[in-house]
Amino acid sequence: MEECKKCLLRESAQEDVYELIKAKIEKLSEKEKSNYDLYSFRLSQCKNCENLISGVCMKCGCYIELRAAFKTQRCPLPYTDKKW
Ligand code: SF4
């Protein structure tokens, strides 16, 4: 499979993995979960980040669609470079 720079998982060819991630996100409680605006903001930041490859952040190794769904998670870049 070709690597897609700047792609979210849901936009790549890894539909089976995306379905698993989606199911995990759906199981999060409202208390754990980012709201729609926060989630959208985070994904837009990742899409413009050089560390995103095929839905995975090269700094933390996470699928960013899952990481961003957790309200308390943060971008792993050093404090001054953090994008969210
Ligand atoms: S470094 Fe931060 S902004 Fe970049 S892909 Fe990872 S989580 Fe997203």
Side-chain angles (χ1 to χ4, degrees), residues 3-16:
E3 282 185 347
C4 177
K5 290 189 176 185
K6 311 285 183 195
C7 272
L8 298 174
L9 194 55
R10 66 186 177 206
E11 299 162 337
S12 74
Q14 302 174 71
E15 287 168 22
D16 50 341

Side-chain angles (χ1 to χ4, degrees), residues 17-59:
V17 181
Y18 179 60
E19 288 306 315
L20 286 173
I21 299 291
K22 224 168 77 176
K24 283 188 182 292
I25 293 171
E26 282 165 9
K27 285 183 185 162
L28 295 178
S29 68
E30 287 307 309
K31 200 175 166 186
E32 295 173 300
K33 205 186 293 187
S34 304
N35 66 32
Y36 177 81
D37 288 345
L38 179 59
Y39 191 63
S40 300
F41 171 74
R42 287 174 166 182
L43 296 189
S44 69
Q45 294 291 98
C46 291
K47 275 186 66 79
N48 289 312
C49 177
E50 64 282 0
N51 296 307
L52 179 70
I53 296 184
S54 297
V56 176
C57 171
M58 293 295 115
K59 287 291 175 186

Side-chain angles (χ1 to χ4, degrees), residues 55-68:
V56 176
C57 171
M58 293 295 115
K59 287 291 175 186
C60 64
C62 293
Y63 287 113
I64 55 100
E65 278 142 304
L66 182 59
R67 187 179 180 100

